Amino acid sequence: MRLSRRLATAFVALTLATGFSASAAWADMVLNRGNQAEPTSLDPQKGTDVQSARIGYDLFEGLLTFGPDGKAIPGAAEKWTISDDGLTYTFTLRADGKWSDGTPVTAADFVFAWQRLVDPKTASDYAYFLWPVKNGEAISNGKQPVSALGVQAVDARTFKVTLERSTGYFLGSLLHRMTYPISKANVEKFGADFVKPGNLVSNGAYKLDAYMPQSFVKAVKNPHFREAASVKIDTVVFHHSDSPETELRRFRAGELDIVQMAPVTQIDWLRQNMPETIMFYPVLGTQYLGINMTKEPFKSNPKLREALYLAIDRQIIVEKITKAGDVPAWTLTSPGIDGYTLPLPALAKATQAERDAQAKRLIEEAGYGKGGKPLEVEILHNTNESTRKIMVAVASMWQSKLGAKVNLNNQEWKIVLQNAGEKSYAGTAVLGWLADFPDPYTFLKLLRSDVGKMNRSGYDNAVFDQKLDAANANTDPAQRMKLLAEAEAAMLADTPIIPIYHQAYRNLVSPRVKGWGPTPMGVQPSRYLEVAAK
């Protein structure tokens, strides 16, 4: 009897810890994904981080979606046409597209979701995503009703979109989850509670089953998904932790099948002891420091900003700390985008000693450093040992080369994003961006003066904004890329950010997981994966 009670206790503990039942554990194919920090939101129009995105890409499907290789393929739309002037897009939805409650996915659902995204009442940081659509920006700014958005349900399966002007990146941007549909009936029934387990309906390969804050999100196979028969994994559990070291321990114990980002502190050990689990590869992503351009001393002192930019030895960071194939970054836009030449500043080709000498001259000219007052600078960063180690190195470089007094302010990731969005941080903030779609604009839009909280530096340059607008209105692909590069060069000359490295993902993948491979944006939907039995 005592043994039975112990087994029962163990079973309860397992259920609470993992979020899946005994029947799932014994009979279903279960994938346990390490998903880093707590997601900001499960609301498809509000989650702003990659943690929310990974869950969203399993739960929902847009007009376009990710293929097994991470590239765009038709999703909820089986086909589309674009008018000769590039202003009208007409999408035909699939006849077998259904929500997880069995009801059809309709064009009206897309109209509702897109109107909700730009509605000021939703307060989505991503409202600007639909500004290319007719009246999208005016609606976001409260100057037009949501009904004025240039979207129309011609019939149940025909979704028509009218743009303000021809926009070269528009079709590619529909790969992003912010443009995915939500069920109008579902939101109207439950209101703000529509995102809760038991309420939320979705049109992707999975549906939400359970959510324990600060612990896990559990998704189960959606039987109404149009390709449900090809989905091998029955249950996906996204586990959340601020600590890469904790994720690694759970991976080694067999509790996690995948770690999204291995801790930089353990790269050498992993190469020596678990090489069969390592999958490191470059993605379209950049890690950088945002500089608060709304506060002094950085607001009106470009020499000070440039000195910080130059004094970081990026080569040491990628060779001695991250060790996963990251490359030094001098631009916000990541390499690897077809047709785009990165506008590298001249000093990117100099030696680090030459950059350090220039940094010292600049900080002295700014009234700091040798002979002046010491610069006091804060680095706001997330609770993560890997990030902390990189920022300790950055702080040491600034201290030794520029005589700065550096304070490391460690906060939860949600707090970092909140403070960065509100521009309430004191000096610099650790930020990163993984491409929403494979185009330079996905990076450069972050510094537009009109994107609100997403512009976490508070940068405001009319020339930069105008060049971006001119680029996106240009129908010549080569000329468009040239204008985007000019815009980025103008922004970099102002130094509102400090790029550190272009990112490589440090995936750890159990040999049991089949189908996992490198993708340009680091997206591996669970629907394409398989887990072998232990």
Side-chain angles (χ1 to χ4, degrees), residues 186-439:
N186 185 226
V187 176
E188 290 179 342
K189 180 179 180 180
F190 293 107
D193 289 339
F194 85 97
V195 297
K196 292 184 176 180
N199 295 351
L200 183 67
V201 301
S202 55
N203 71 323
Y206 295 88
K207 60 181 181 177
L208 181 64
D209 184 72
Y211 178 24
M212 182 177 288
Q214 305 298 327
S215 184
F216 67 85
V217 169
K218 176 190 171 190
V220 297
K221 187 173 175 178
N222 174 11
H224 297 289
F225 179 57
R226 58 186 177 80
E227 294 185 357
S230 67
V231 177
K232 300 290 194 302
I233 292 173
D234 302 288
T235 301
V236 184
V237 185
F238 294 89
H239 299 264
H240 297 110
S241 171
D242 285 321
S243 170
E245 287 74 16
T246 298
E247 287 195 330
L248 176 57
R249 284 194 294 271
R250 297 189 67 187
F251 180 77
R252 293 182 62 192
E255 297 173 11
L256 296 180
D257 299 306
I258 294 163
V259 168
Q260 196 66 39
M261 292 295 282
V264 298
T265 55
Q266 300 298 320
I267 299 301
D268 291 338
W269 185 91
L270 286 164
R271 291 189 190 280
Q272 294 172 7
N273 296 280
M274 302 179 70
E276 72 283 359
T277 69
I278 290 175
M279 189 173 293
F280 298 166
Y281 58 93
V283 292
L284 297 177
T286 302
Q287 294 294 308
Y288 64 99
L289 285 168
I291 300 177
N292 195 334
M293 299 283 285
T294 70
K295 294 183 177 182
E296 300 295 354
F298 300 108
K299 178 180 179 180
S300 57
N301 205 327
K303 291 182 178 180
L304 189 57
R305 301 193 299 268
E306 188 177 357
L308 296 178
Y309 173 84
L310 292 173
I312 296 176
D313 191 332
R314 293 153 175 83
Q315 200 66 40
I316 284 180
I317 289 174
V318 301
E319 288 184 357
K320 304 297 185 183
I321 302 178
T322 65
K323 302 180 183 181
D326 308 285
V327 296
W330 298 97
T331 60
L332 178 58
T333 301
S334 175
I337 297 175
D338 290 343
Y340 190 69
T341 301
L342 297 177
L344 296 173
L347 281 170
K349 300 178 182 178
T351 65
Q352 188 59 46
E354 291 170 331
R355 289 191 287 264
D356 290 344
Q358 175 70 353
K360 291 175 183 177
R361 285 193 294 270
L362 288 169
I363 199 166
E364 289 174 11
E365 291 173 7
Y368 295 87
K370 185 178 179 181
K373 55 187 176 181
L375 171 65
E376 295 185 10
V377 57
E378 178 179 285
I379 302 176
L380 174 65
H381 69 91
N382 52 307
T383 305
N384 181 309
E385 181 59 25
S386 297
T387 301
R388 191 196 69 82
K389 190 171 183 179
I390 294 168
M391 289 306 112
V392 166
V394 170
S396 177
M397 293 169 189
W398 287 349
Q399 289 167 348
S400 62
K401 299 175 184 180
L402 306 178
K405 294 182 178 180
V406 185
N407 173 46
L408 296 179
N409 182 0
N410 174 17
Q411 300 289 340
E412 291 184 10
W413 180 233
K414 284 185 177 181
I415 301 300
V416 173
L417 289 180
Q418 178 182 337
N419 290 348
E422 295 172 352
K423 270 71 78 178
S424 61
Y425 60 101
T428 66
V430 171
L431 299 168
W433 195 254
L434 187 67
D436 290 330
F437 47 95
D439 189 275

Side-chain angles (χ1 to χ4, degrees), residues 55-82:
I55 299 168
Y57 288 133
D58 270 6
L59 296 179
F60 292 90
E61 181 178 64
L63 297 166
L64 277 66
T65 193
F66 290 95
D69 60 358
K71 297 181 180 180
I73 60 173
E78 63 182 8
K79 60 183 179 180
W80 52 83
T81 60
I82 306 172

